[in-house]
Amino acid sequence: MEKTYSVVFYSKGLVEPVKKLKDFLKSKIDWYNSCNSEAHITICEFTIDESQFDSIKQKLSKVSDTFTPFEVSLNHFDSFPNAGAFFIGVNEDSEKNLVPIMKKIHETLKFLKLKKSDNPHLSIGRRLTPENLKIASELFTTIDLQFECNEIVLREFDPKVKQFFVIDAFPFGSNPEPEFLQGSLF
């Protein structure tokens, strides 16, 4: 049976403050896409047969072991007007740390048909109308959130609830892969 999964950066410490923002926006514009989704930064999404699941987990565990924890700062609101997305953006240093990890995970899972995110951001709302995007940008002007990025998280999509739920976490092991050295026999 096929199931849909996503790999994300996730921190329990962000869930409540971001939920408050989403609930406040919901009180102004009613239901909207991702209003009930827990705070996360998407890396990729894919659908696989259950028989591939253990192999994917092994690959994620192996690659996450090579990453070193770092602080992420979310410090501004922004939007992708064409997609109707309103989000919290990361600062420049955080982006420099997040993007290579995202690319490495995309590379690790390149044999899958991935929906990739190359731009680290934490969505508040998706598929908002231009009017609702304007309301969101007027409601939210300043933000300052941080979290220790020390793992990647695997989430499974529940089609009944139409939400992703955390099912596993892969801690960063600070064990960079050894560089391949060209040896000499003589």
Side-chain angles (χ1 to χ4, degrees):
M1 187 172 116
E2 286 200 330
K3 291 186 177 181
T4 300
Y5 299 93
S6 68
V7 180
V8 303
F9 298 110
Y10 174 89
S11 168
K12 283 191 187 347
L14 293 180
V15 171
E16 203 46 46
V18 172
K19 183 178 182 341
K20 287 180 179 157
L21 297 173
K22 290 181 175 211
D23 288 349
F24 186 57
L25 181 59
K26 191 174 168 185
S27 75
K28 302 294 181 191
I29 66 172
D30 293 324
W31 184 92
Y32 60 90
N33 281 66
S34 77
C35 67
N36 296 319
S37 171
E38 280 194 339
H40 66 278
I41 297 174
T42 300
I43 299 169
C44 62
E45 193 179 303
F46 54 89
T47 300
I48 57 167
D49 187 84
E50 282 180 280
S51 63
Q52 295 175 276
F53 185 69
D54 287 338
S55 165
I56 300 298
K57 281 179 51 171
Q58 282 180 330
K59 288 180 187 318
L60 291 173
S61 178
K62 187 174 180 197
V63 73
S64 69
D65 188 52
T66 67
F67 304 137
T68 300
F70 57 93
E71 188 78 10
V72 172
S73 177
L74 298 131
N75 67 351
H76 64 280
F77 290 103
D78 205 345
S79 65
F80 299 128
N82 293 345
F86 185 75
F87 62 88
I88 307 171
V90 300
N91 71 4
E92 203 175 311
D93 286 344
S94 298
E95 185 170 346
K96 284 179 187 166
N97 285 320
L98 291 166
V99 169
I101 292 174
M102 294 166 86
K103 289 184 185 313
K104 183 84 170 178
I105 292 167
H106 297 158
E107 180 65 23
T108 299
L109 301 177
K110 68 183 176 194
F111 60 94
L112 298 173
K113 189 175 177 198
L114 296 178
K115 271 201 240 170
K116 298 188 250 185
S117 172
D118 297 315
N119 185 336
H121 63 280
L122 196 157
S123 293
I124 299 295
R126 295 180 301 115
R127 294 191 215 124
L128 298 175
T129 63
E131 299 78 39
N132 287 345
L133 260 182
K134 185 176 186 306
I135 290 168
S137 64
E138 289 169 357
L139 287 175
F140 307 116
T141 55
T142 60
I143 188 80
D144 184 22
L145 296 172
Q146 282 85 31
F147 73 97
E148 174 79 5
C149 185
N150 56 12
E151 65 184 7
I152 53 174
V153 170
L154 182 64
R155 304 181 315 156
E156 183 179 317
F157 185 71
D158 182 333
K160 290 188 188 85
V161 189
K162 297 196 178 347
Q163 289 294 325
F164 282 95
F165 294 97
V166 172
I167 57 168
D168 214 338
F170 305 93
F172 293 177
S174 302
N175 292 312
E177 295 172 282
E179 294 297 316
F180 178 75
L181 298 175
Q182 182 69 47
S184 170
L185 294 174
F186 305 103

